Amino acid sequence: MPPSNPLPPKENALFKRILRCYEHKQYKNGLKFAKQILSNPKFAEHGETLAMKGLTLNCLGRKDEAYDYVRRGLRNDLKSPVCWHVYGLLQRSDKKYDEAIKCYRNALKWEKENIQILRDLSLLQIQMRDLEGYKDTRYQLFMLRPTQRASWIGFAMSYHLLGDYEMANSILDAFRTHQMKGPYDYEHSELLLYQNMVLAESGQYERALQHLQKFESQILDKLSVKETSGEYYLKLNRFKEAEGIYEDLLKRNPENVLYYSKLIEAKQLIKAEDKVAFFDEYKKQYPKAIAPRRLQLTEAQAQSSFENLVDEYLRHGLYKGIPPLFVDLRSLYADPMKAETIEKLIIQYIDNLAKDCTFGPDPSEVKQPASALLWAYYFAAQHFDHKKDTDRALHYIDAAIEHTPTLIELFIVKGRIYKHAGDPISAYQCLEEAQAMDTADRYVNCKCARYMLRAGHIKRAEEMCAKFTREGVPATENLNEMQCMWFQTEAAASYQRLQQWGEALKKAHEVDRHFSEIMEDQFDFHSYCMRKMTLRSYVGLLRLEDVLRAHPFYFRCARVAVRVYLRLHARPRSDAPQTAEPDTENLAPSELKKLRNKQRKAQRKAEQESALAAQVQVKREQHHKARQQQEQGDPEAPQLDELIPEKLARVEDPLEQALKFLQPLRILAADRIETHLMAFEIYFRKEKPLLMLQCIKRAWRLDSDNPELVDCLVRFQRWLEESLSGLHPNVAAVLKTETQPMVLGRSALQIAEQSVSGAARHAAALWAARALRRLVPDRTEQALRLVTSLDYPDVTIQSCADVLESLREGDFGECEAVIERYVEACSARFPYAIAFKPAPAPEASENHSEETTPLQPKEITANN
Amino acid sequence: MTRAKIELGDVTPHNIKQLKKLNTVVFPVSYNDKFYKDVLEAGELAKLAYYNDIVVGAVCCRIDTSENSRRLYIMTLGCLYPYRRLGMGSMMVKHVLNYVKQDGNFDSIFLHVQVNNEGAIDSYKKFGFEMVETKERYYKRIEPADAHVLQKTIRLPSTPLVNGSVSHTKTNGYDAGSQQNNIMFYL
């Protein structure tokens, strides 16, 4: 076969038309022309035509055929850059970027200077963060097209991303002096700021400052110039100049908290009194600004001075009726003196307001509006809730509700108090009431849905959200489409508590897919930002995407997924679907009748529901069709497998799946001990000693006292005691040396015993007792004594619920009587917490589905 | 200190629950769903009163065309206890008077008030209302059960009605006093 299979002129013209059709998205026509070439037996195996036919088919959604044709084309013409390029495009449309890069490289082998292929390749390389490769490609593009702006910018940026600031700066300088010719527009201004950013990142603040000053007149973003030069002055210890800059900035915006702290830095104020005096000055200068008044409270250290300041602040807030006043001040509560002072004042206000409508004890003081007392109650309720004094918190919130039952915020706070007291059911009922009072309020709607999820009412939460999602589409579908991650992470956790493993996994996977999608979305910006010159933001975007999965939403959903997969590993779901056919033979006739009635009702309901579902289905299809039409720009997006809860719960390799979720955390959340502890659990089950060691060592570095880590160490040591002899001698030697600093020559039992005797905190007691019982079942009694004691300084609802769950899981063997006594003791300690209430009697009414009592008490814990 | 901000707002399907809550607390009688359904249609005749952005009062009226005249009937007008004597009631009464003036086609405004509710009676008198009648056993479940009828004449009754200028065909379902006992005033 000839290297490049030239077509005769007529066919060649046809081939060109295929290309044109592809570019113009006239896929049907493209196929027609391809057929005209291929139907000629002489060219039936023409590689490039076959490849183009495949690519066109791909755009019509016929993926399998597409791969067949493209591969066949490539086989017939391995030296054709077109075939390789097409194969690369196909892989790219499938998001297989690594493969696509290989294809492009092959294509370039046969056609070194193809601009289009080089450009495509550079996009893939930056997407995959192949920075070296990116630099090479950008260099070639630069050499081929030295007159184009994008060539320069991309070339410079490739060096910047590799940390070669000098080179990047020189390229930008050269470009600026040789290529840029007026007018000094926005893009020019952005380019200068980008260059300045490169200089600053190289640590040469002096140079960056000079650069900024030199080009100040050409830069349009004046605020950026001010802020960055202020920054540089501070870095260079040129405090006088910095002071001037930040004073100017405060004139622009006296509410910017950062400017104040920078100004304090510039003025080199250290002592608390000086800072307080500093804020006094700015309070006078900007009497309407809130920032200086609030910041002053943080800085004030002396009780008398703080009291005066916070008195003024509180009075103003209560007079104005500022709802988030407590949230605003909450961070001050870290200092017990400040918390006490606030408590003293608020109680004094309540007394006086109720008597004379004044804040102070002097009845001749200025009268306050009638709402001031209400807001004082509201503040007090939150204050005592923060102190975990549920009774007084409820007292004040009830007083507020009696005062003004029409204020929605009161019911939200009441719900929050119940939530903190461990009663998610009453909590969500309060939120439901709040929601009903203003059904147009999206915030309350979301809050309410969230509380419902916490209480295990997932269906109701979906219905609640449906009030704000698109009509005609099920709420969950719309929420998924909108990447509504707060809902999905909460729902995942809720399903986990309800032990609906498949559903929990589905939600976790959905969230995971959002993150993948956000990474994908990045692709479009590589060319777009370069064109629009928004280079600073673009670099920011690249850096954000690099650590995207460090986001708390990902952490939470990954944690749910890992725990569920571990659970599924321990207890795989049996394959036989459970039939809930009740035993009808042993029923009394009356009961039988009742049962039949119930079944009939259920059937009728099911019919209604399926009719409704059919309607919804129709609407959904219409919606999808509409969307597909909208999305014709990207018809080649790969279809992901549908997530089916049943399937997910019957996963074959739960540990592998768990690892997939965990992997990003091991890099991006390496500072959280939970990451390593979860990893240990997985590798422990996979019996990978070196990886176990790695996890333990990393966790140890973070917090060697963590009780869960100590338990891991006990289990690891135990495992080594049993299995060390079977390992490769080199591995065994490594394990021995490396564990020594942690194990210190103790046996697993000795470590456990030491942690038992040293258990001063509740969680430590639980882990230690459990380890002891596992190692020496004979010492169950000692373990139980340790674990059921409530004499730890840090006993919380959650920690007691953890203990209870462990008891019920059988970690300490059969101990019904102990559980009963423990529940009693806990419920005396936490009277509101439903985790320690006896299970409610099954609902008598038939109309209540399982939705009414979805939670077993043990699964309900205080979720703060 | 500056004066508190007081203003009126619409009743909508979104916030009707606030009106219900308010009425439950302010009035000793409870109202049925029909009452609230009609309120939603009442436009300017039903208003919430806000004090510093909090709903603290409400007024609900309807047009009464019985007894051969066109009258505005104030069904409820009230305010939460801690916010009384702060001008909320006056604001609502003024709103009603203004409505009647703008409309220009009312003969009178009237309302029922429990006989012991002296505060309300005094306030209405200041706005030119007069006590025209006392109905015994007007309220069914509360004490005292008697009610005064207060009325403010807009157009002298001697002025003959131009025939056909006012629709008399239908009352809108309330039969004041006889069936619903829903007429209360707390100012």
Side-chain angles (χ1 to χ4, degrees), chain A residues 319 370-371 404 406 433 437 439, chain B residues 2 14 18 21 51 55 83:
Chain A
Y319 154 71
S371 50
T404 306
T406 45
E433 200 166 351
M437 285 162 71
T439 52
Chain B
T2 46
H14 291 303
Q18 294 193 54
K21 257 193 189 295
Y51 178 89
V55 173
Y83 303 88

Side-chain angles (χ1 to χ4, degrees), chain B residues 68 160-168:
Chain B
N68 216 20
L161 265 174
V162 182
N163 212 8
S165 70
V166 178
S167 154
H168 295 259

Side-chain angles (χ1 to χ4, degrees), chain A residues 425 452 455-458 460 497-498 500 849-856 859-860:
Chain A
I425 303 288
M452 286 171 162
H457 290 290
I458 298 169
R460 278 188 210 177
R497 287 193 291 272
L498 294 170
Q500 296 184 20
S849 59
E850 73 264 45
E851 268 292 308
T852 326
T853 51
L855 281 184
Q856 291 307 302
E859 285 130 28
I860 299 181

